[in-house]
């Protein structure tokens, strides 16, 4: 394994960090609410950071999503790359790649996905989709939705197509999320029978990278706060309980990061990675939840202020905890997958 970024990946991550830091300010995020920041999205796409994902791969995307997570920047970057650029590049036909990738890379098109498959959407023989997906991130901004049907075939659906309902249900998720309702909407088939599992593994890895950044940002805020906030004449950071809580949060953040890197590297190399993606997603769920709780707790009373920047990290972390499967679901899925590869009965190995 080699987690060292290439020159292109490092340059893209540095540029992304600069753009997110300059534009994803507390004031702009507060103004955006649960919506997206159109100016920031335009800056990212103009800099080529969306189109670049096709070249820098999933590991490069994980590095960029870490930078987004640090600032909780309100743009549909993870969704467009995980459910648009990477799936189309990997599973699309030559015609689909030529037609869709330029629009996705320029930001003219925005993709999202109705993942994971819950068996709520069915496809007719002529590719008409019917059913609902309860929570789809960035649905209000999307031009295309990647939809798995009950048989786990993948379909691209335009959000302006007949039979696609207006996004319903405002959620607490900070991603312009909504419920997708399909009533005989026309879908465009993408990939073959293996595409669903590959896209799910890649998206779980990508969102684990986003969670690593969210946790790193939460911890950085907690460190800054406890280092400057004094109690009884000394900084809070000198208290042993504070140091231990911060150290645990750091170790959890690193576990999310390294498992996401490993899964992304294996996927980029074409190696089996379903177990690794599930491991990364489990760490993102379980450890991510612990880290954002610690970040808020270490802010004391300030952590209870809904307008404080650390609350956004808490909200993102809790939403990512449940997205694409909570810890217990992921663990059950991982156990079932490992049992498929277990030694035959009677084999002492």
């Amino acid at each position: 394994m080699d987690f060292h970024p290439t020159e292109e990946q490092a340059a893209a991550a540095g540029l992304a960090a600069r753009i997110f830091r300059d534009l994803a300010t507390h004031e702009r995020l507060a103004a955006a609410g649960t919506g997206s920041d159109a100016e920031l999205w335009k800056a990212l796409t103009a800099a080529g950071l969306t189109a670049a994902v096709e070249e820098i791969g999933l590991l490069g995307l994980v590095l960029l999503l870490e930078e987004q997570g640090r600032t909780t920047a309100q743009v549909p970057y993870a969704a467009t790359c995980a459910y648009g650029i990477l799936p189309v590049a990997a599973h699309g036909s030559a015609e689909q790649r030529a037609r869709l990738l330029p629009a996705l890379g320029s930001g003219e098109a925005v993709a999202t996905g109705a993942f994971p498959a819950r068996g709520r959407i069915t496809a007719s023989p002529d590719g008409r989709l019917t059913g609902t997906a309860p929570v789809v991130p960035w649905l209000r901004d999307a031009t295309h939705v990647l939809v798995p049907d009950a048989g786990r075939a993948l379909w691209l659906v335009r959000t302006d197509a007949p039979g696609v309902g207006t996004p319903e249900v405002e959620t607490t998720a900070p991603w312009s999320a909504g419920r997708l309702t399909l009533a005989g909407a026309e879908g465009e088939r993408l990939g073959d029978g293996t595409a669903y599992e590959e896209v799910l593994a890649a998206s779980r890895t990508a969102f684990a990278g986003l969670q690593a950044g969210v946790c790193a940002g939460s911890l950085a805020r907690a460190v800054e706060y406890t280092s400057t906030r004094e109690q009884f004449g000394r900084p809070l950071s000198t208290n042993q309980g504070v140091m231990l809580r911060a150290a645990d949060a750091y170790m959890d953040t690193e576990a999310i990061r390294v498992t996401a890197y490993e899964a992304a590297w294996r996927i980029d190399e074409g190696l089996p990675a379903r177990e690794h993606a599930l491991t990364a997603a489990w760490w993102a769920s379980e450890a991510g939840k612990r880290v954002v709780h610690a970040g808020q707790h270490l802010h004391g009373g300030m952590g209870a202020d809904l307008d404080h920047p650390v609350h956004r990290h808490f909200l993102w972390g809790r939403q990512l905890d449940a997205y694409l499967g909570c810890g217990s679901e992921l663990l059950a899925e991982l156990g079932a997958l490992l049992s498929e590869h277990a030694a035959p009965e009677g084999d002492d190995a």
Side-chain angles (χ1 to χ4, degrees):
M1 292 180 291
D2 183 5
F3 298 160
H4 292 94
T6 64
E7 183 177 346
E8 293 79 8
Q9 290 170 338
L15 178 58
R18 198 155 56 246
I19 293 173
F20 286 130
R21 184 175 58 248
D22 290 345
L23 294 182
T25 62
H26 174 58
E27 294 74 21
R28 292 174 65 94
L29 289 166
T34 61
S36 60
D37 186 328
E39 183 180 344
L40 175 54
W41 181 237
K42 183 177 180 180
L44 286 171
T45 55
L49 291 175
T50 308
V53 172
E54 189 180 353
E55 299 298 326
I56 63 177
L58 183 56
L59 181 55
L61 175 60
V62 166
L63 294 172
L64 270 62
L65 290 177
E66 277 192 77
E67 301 304 332
Q68 180 184 2
R70 289 179 199 276
T71 58
T72 61
Q74 295 282 108
V75 285
Y77 189 58
T80 292
C81 295
Y83 299 126
I85 290 178
L86 291 179
V88 171
H91 303 288
S93 65
E95 186 278 329
Q96 286 174 320
R97 292 195 298 270
R99 171 167 47 89
L100 295 169
L101 287 175
L104 289 165
S106 69
E108 178 186 350
V110 174
T112 188
F115 278 66
R118 302 292 190 187
R120 297 186 175 97
I121 296 175
T122 58
S124 66
D126 62 348
R128 300 282 177 174
L129 304 176
T130 300
T132 61
V135 180
V136 178
W138 300 107
L139 181 59
R140 284 181 278 153
D141 293 336
T143 58
H144 297 76
V145 186
L146 189 61
V147 179
D149 64 22
R152 298 193 171 183
L154 293 184
W155 304 86
L156 268 175
V157 178
R158 289 192 59 92
T159 56
D160 60 358
V164 179
T166 302
E168 304 169 353
V169 183
E170 179 76 15
T171 73
T172 58
W175 313 318
S176 298
R179 180 171 63 193
L180 175 67
T181 303
L182 303 173
E186 183 178 359
E188 175 184 358
R189 184 68 187 271
L190 184 73
D192 57 22
T194 65
Y196 171 79
E197 293 295 349
E198 293 178 13
V199 172
L200 180 59
S203 60
R204 280 173 165 162
T205 303
F207 281 94
L210 184 62
Q211 181 77 302
V214 170
C215 291
S218 174
L219 182 58
R221 291 189 182 280
V223 168
E224 180 183 12
Y225 178 80
T226 57
S227 297
T228 55
R229 175 76 170 181
E230 291 191 357
Q231 190 176 57
F232 306 117
R234 62 178 187 174
L236 288 172
S237 59
T238 60
N239 293 320
Q240 187 179 48
V242 172
M243 289 189 284
L244 292 174
R245 191 80 188 274
D248 285 342
Y250 174 79
M251 295 303 295
D252 274 337
T253 301
E254 289 302 297
I256 300 170
R257 177 181 287 117
V258 73
T259 53
Y261 284 5
E262 182 181 12
W265 177 83
R266 291 183 67 88
I267 290 171
D268 283 344
E269 293 295 314
L271 299 171
R274 283 183 62 192
E275 296 96 330
H276 303 81
L278 281 164
T279 301
W282 183 85
W283 275 104
S285 175
E286 293 293 302
K289 179 168 50 183
R290 289 195 296 266
V291 173
V292 296
H293 273 266
Q296 194 169 41
H297 187 201
L298 290 174
H299 277 76
M302 294 298 294
D305 183 358
L306 300 185
D307 294 324
H308 195 283
V310 78
H311 179 70
R312 266 194 305 275
H313 291 273
F314 175 79
L315 185 58
W316 276 62
R318 289 312 309 260
Q319 292 291 346
L320 287 169
D321 156 38
Y323 184 54
L324 296 181
C326 65
S328 58
E329 287 181 290
L330 296 165
L331 203 58
E333 189 176 339
L334 178 59
L337 185 60
L338 292 174
S339 69
E340 293 177 9
H341 306 305
E345 187 176 352
D347 189 340
D348 292 337

